[in-house]
Amino acid sequence: MNERIVTWNLDPVIYWITDSFPLKYYGLFFITGLLLANYVAKRIYIKENIPVKNLEKLFFYIIIGIVLGARLGHCFFYEPSYYFQNPIEILLPIQKIEGSYQFTGFQGLASHGGAIGALIAIGIYCKKYKTNFLWVLDRIAIATPIVAVFIRLGNFMNSEIYGKPTDGNWGVIFQRDDLIPRHPTQLYEAFSYLLIFGILLFTYKKMANKLPNGQIFGLLLVLVFSARFMIEFFKENQVGFEDAMSINMGQILSIPFIIVGLILIFIKRRSTQSVKH
């Protein structure tokens, strides 16, 4: 075996809590990412003398928004016909197998849907508590890539959302699916998001008081979704209808986020001083 080829065959289940309820790496990584992101956001709130209880309320809204948005995004962006016929499976972690429903966990979460859900949740929070929407987005933006890092690591542990075949001289063989060396696109994304976290944190520390509200969030959108757009060229399509498309659904959904990010970065704003709430 070529030394540059890694064979990956990890069982996604860490431990079976009951016969029908598994503890999986993906869930553990997802929770870890959320907790670390919350820690980073908490340090920012403390640094700016903002009550941490405000963040605790916001964090609850964001979790609900991410989970609902990611689930609905997968169902409606990638497999609408199936879920319109099986609506009970949209919000319940079950699937009909051989005529009966079985616990399977949620079979599909879309990061674009999670992003939309989080934005809606933050908007609801800001309206309820009369907080500046863009100011909140800037602070949450710094911690957001941490969650994305751990989600993609979870995908790697699950041997899912992997890349197209490589030239055979390097790559990862996801043995649970086939014996073909492939681009480990989950790791490409995880590394990209970790780098983006560093860029955003550096920008915040050096320029936060000089930037108008929305600039850091705009930078997040441009960097994250540009990385996602480029990496999609190396990734296997998630659903069959994408095979006939010149760019896939993940790339199409990334374009509006990039455009919004560019608008936030380059639009001229009268105020150049962030407003704290």
Side-chain angles (χ1 to χ4, degrees), residues 136-145 196-197 200 216-218 220:
V136 172
L137 288 180
D138 279 343
R139 274 64 191 172
I140 297 302
I142 299 166
T144 296
I196 291 169
F197 166 67
L200 295 177
I216 295 177
F217 176 64
L220 168 78

Side-chain angles (χ1 to χ4, degrees), residues 68-84:
L68 284 177
R71 182 57 182 163
L72 293 174
H74 173 81
C75 296
F76 297 143
F77 294 155
Y78 291 98
E79 297 184 85
S81 59
Y82 173 83
Y83 285 103
F84 283 141

Side-chain angles (χ1 to χ4, degrees), residues 21 64 134 152 208 228:
F21 191 82
I64 299 299
L134 289 178
R152 286 300 179 243
R228 175 70 184 271

Side-chain angles (χ1 to χ4, degrees), residues 1 28 33 61 91 121 129 135-136 147 198 209 213 225 235 257 261 266-267:
M1 180 66 69
L28 182 62
Y61 278 76
L91 296 178
Y129 294 100
W135 183 91
V136 172
V147 182
N209 293 327
N213 290 330
F225 289 101
K235 190 183 296 184
F257 286 98
F266 293 110
I267 192 172

Side-chain angles (χ1 to χ4, degrees), residues 30-276:
F30 185 41
I31 293 173
T32 300
L34 286 172
L35 292 176
L36 287 175
N38 183 58
Y39 173 79
V40 170
K42 185 179 294 185
R43 300 304 304 172
I44 292 172
Y45 268 58
I46 292 173
K47 179 178 181 295
E48 300 200 28
N49 296 315
I50 309 300
V52 173
K53 65 179 182 180
N54 293 6
L55 178 63
E56 293 171 351
K57 296 175 184 176
L58 175 61
F59 188 59
F60 174 77
Y61 278 76
I62 291 175
I63 290 177
I64 299 299
I66 289 176
V67 174
L68 284 177
R71 182 57 182 163
L72 293 174
H74 173 81
C75 296
F76 297 143
F77 294 155
Y78 291 98
E79 297 184 85
S81 59
Y82 173 83
Y83 285 103
F84 283 141
Q85 296 176 24
N86 301 276
I88 193 174
E89 296 181 23
I90 295 178
L91 296 178
L92 294 179
I94 59 176
Q95 189 174 21
K96 183 175 286 187
I97 301 175
E98 297 180 353
S100 62
Y101 284 106
Q102 298 181 26
F103 177 87
T104 58
F106 288 118
Q107 300 298 299
L109 298 171
S111 57
H112 295 89
I116 294 171
L119 288 174
I120 293 174
I122 293 172
I124 294 173
Y125 167 88
C126 290
K127 183 176 181 179
K128 180 176 181 179
Y129 294 100
K130 297 179 173 58
T131 304
N132 186 288
F133 183 56
L134 289 178
W135 183 91
V136 172
L137 288 180
D138 279 343
R139 274 64 191 172
I140 297 302
I142 299 166
T144 296
I146 298 175
V147 182
V149 169
F150 280 86
I151 287 175
R152 286 300 179 243
L153 291 177
N155 293 140
F156 184 77
M157 305 300 272
N158 277 356
S159 297
E160 63 186 2
I161 313 183
Y162 45 64
K164 297 176 180 177
T166 65
D167 59 11
N169 293 322
W170 69 285
V172 175
I173 295 175
F174 295 96
Q175 196 170 354
R176 300 182 72 84
D177 285 350
D178 57 38
L179 299 177
I180 302 173
R182 297 178 176 277
H183 289 282
T185 47
Q186 316 98 319
L187 300 184
Y188 297 171
E189 285 195 64
F191 177 78
S192 298
Y193 299 148
L194 184 61
L195 179 62
I196 291 169
F197 166 67
I199 293 172
L200 295 177
L201 185 61
F202 177 82
T203 301
Y204 169 73
K205 288 184 175 181
K206 295 296 183 180
M207 303 178 64
N209 293 327
K210 302 176 183 178
L211 295 174
N213 290 330
Q215 296 284 285
I216 295 177
F217 176 64
L219 183 59
L220 168 78
L221 293 180
V222 172
L223 293 178
V224 165
F225 289 101
S226 293
R228 175 70 184 271
F229 187 94
M230 297 305 297
I231 293 171
E232 287 291 327
F233 284 114
F234 300 94
K235 190 183 296 184
E236 285 283 13
N237 292 328
Q238 294 188 50
V239 289
F241 72 79
E242 293 179 296
D243 294 339
M245 301 166 64
S246 56
I247 58 175
N248 64 26
M249 182 60 72
Q251 292 171 310
I252 291 173
L253 293 172
S254 294
I255 293 172
F257 286 98
I258 296 172
I259 292 173
V260 171
L262 290 172
I263 291 173
L264 286 172
I265 291 174
F266 293 110
I267 192 172
K268 293 182 179 180
R269 302 173 63 87
R270 292 182 179 180
S271 173
T272 59
Q273 182 67 36
S274 297
V275 180
K276 296 182 180 180

